[in-house]
Amino acid sequence: MPLRVRRRAASLLTGSLCALLLLSGCAAESGASGDAPETAGTHDVEHARGTTAVPNAPQRVVTLEPLELDTAVAVGITPVGAAVASNVAGVPGYLEADGVAAVGTVPEPDLEAIAALEPDLIIGTESRHSALYEQLAAIAPTVFIASQADPWRDNALLIGTALNREDEVAELLSAVDDRCAALADEYAVDGETAQLIRPRDETTLSLYGPVSFSGSLLECAGFTIPEQDWTDGLQADISPENALSAQADHVFITATDVDDESAIPAAITRNAASFPSVTLVDTSYWVSGVGPKGAQAVLDDIESFLEASR
């Protein structure tokens, strides 16, 4: 190739590269402005232990509370690890979340297992995990909701803020409330009472009140929960001998297997005339699965019950 031609080709190549670099710069500048979501960097989150800078787009999240796990999965983030209700049950099946490693139980998270996952965000609960905060914060930025007993919707919004998905969480919560309103309008159960009972052991039945996760869903669907001496509006524990104090038009009883009629406490079956409507429901989301996805699963059950009762 003549020298003049080689020089012209080199000049054209250099010009093309410059043009590409300019276009790339423009594209980068365009992506950093306008309506594009901010994924790089961090944002500050005010929580139960102060203010923490957390990644805008966390990639390796560890959750220590069922609500935190449910909310993360609901917005499309599958945590790399989660403390579970029990080592036997593992991650609740209703979440359909694969690849989540169990890192101990909710009351007793495994710090070594958490550290081994190299998380970039940990979400826990002050009332349960307060003594672990400093150790967790040394592993990764850590955000704590105050208490699992606080209104679950408020906690879900804080979790959404930590994940930089607050607007998405707000939309999910609105969808729950809209569905509740639709069920209440469709089936008109005003004046009918409902009670959720969780058999703890041979000596204790736990009743769930209007402020509890499932209790709030029963009420927003139109039912009324009978008065009890609630602890913070959440729960009341009674002995089987006092089972009649749990009477309601409709009683829902939590079980690991909803087809196992033996899961109904003997104190209920012995007084069948006082409990005309008894339905077994899945404890993995009625009690353990607090969050937007769990709420929709509970409402699925409520709708199926109401439809079958027509």
Side-chain angles (χ1 to χ4, degrees):
M1 182 184 295
L3 179 61
R4 187 186 309 169
V5 174
R6 288 201 301 270
R7 285 177 176 171
R8 177 171 175 77
S11 176
L12 288 170
L13 178 60
T14 301
S16 298
L17 287 172
C18 289
L20 285 171
L21 288 171
L22 285 170
L23 287 170
S24 175
C26 290
E29 183 177 349
S30 174
S33 61
D35 297 327
E38 184 180 1
T39 57
T42 63
H43 63 286
D44 289 341
V45 178
E46 294 184 12
H47 59 103
R49 291 299 287 263
T51 302
T52 299
V54 305
N56 284 333
Q59 301 298 307
R60 299 186 63 80
V61 178
V62 168
T63 61
L64 307 184
E65 188 78 38
L67 171 61
E68 297 152 4
L69 172 60
D70 183 298
T71 304
V73 173
V75 296
I77 296 174
T78 301
V80 293
V84 294
S86 76
N87 287 320
V88 175
V91 174
Y94 81 90
L95 289 174
E96 299 180 337
D98 297 325
V100 182
V103 291
T105 62
V106 173
E108 297 182 351
D110 184 334
L111 293 177
E112 290 186 6
I114 293 170
L117 291 173
E118 300 182 350
D120 55 8
L121 174 62
I122 300 169
I123 311 177
T125 305
E126 176 69 11
S127 59
R128 294 200 208 260
H129 311 122
S130 176
L132 302 177
Y133 182 79
E134 297 301 332
Q135 293 166 280
L136 291 167
I139 297 171
T142 299
V143 170
F144 272 6
I145 61 174
S147 170
Q148 74 279 5
D150 289 339
W152 72 274
R153 288 171 173 80
D154 295 343
N155 280 339
L157 287 172
L158 176 55
I159 295 161
T161 300
L163 297 170
N164 206 22
R165 302 288 186 88
E166 186 174 10
D167 288 346
E168 291 179 46
V169 172
E171 290 175 3
L172 291 170
L173 296 177
S174 292
V176 170
D177 292 336
D178 289 346
R179 188 175 181 197
C180 275
L183 290 176
D185 182 62
E186 172 73 16
Y187 295 97
V189 295
D190 288 349
E192 296 184 36
T193 58
Q195 182 68 70
L196 177 64
I197 301 176
R198 179 187 183 186
R200 293 277 190 175
D201 50 39
E202 296 298 324
T203 64
T204 306
L205 302 174
S206 291
L207 315 181
Y208 286 83
V211 180
S212 70
F213 171 66
S214 294
S216 70
L217 294 171
L218 285 168
E219 290 219 322
C220 78
F223 291 109
T224 298
I225 296 177
E227 288 292 330
Q228 294 284 345
D229 185 14
W230 304 113
T231 300
D232 298 326
L234 286 172
Q235 184 177 313
D237 290 339
I238 63 173
S239 66
E241 291 76 15
N242 294 318
L244 290 178
S245 66
Q247 289 181 82
D249 295 323
H250 310 288
V251 168
F252 299 91
I253 298 175
T254 64
T256 56
D257 180 358
V258 298
D259 295 318
D260 181 8
E261 294 293 327
S262 69
I264 301 174
I268 303 294
T269 57
R270 281 196 303 266
N271 294 282
S274 299
F275 295 94
S277 171
V278 175
T279 303
L280 289 172
V281 293
D282 193 327
T283 190
S284 73
Y285 50 89
W286 276 75
V287 174
S288 302
V290 180
K293 285 183 73 69
Q296 291 290 358
V298 170
L299 293 176
D300 284 343
D301 284 356
I302 292 174
E303 182 171 14
S304 295
F305 168 79
L306 290 171
E307 187 64 27
S309 300
R310 274 186 158 179

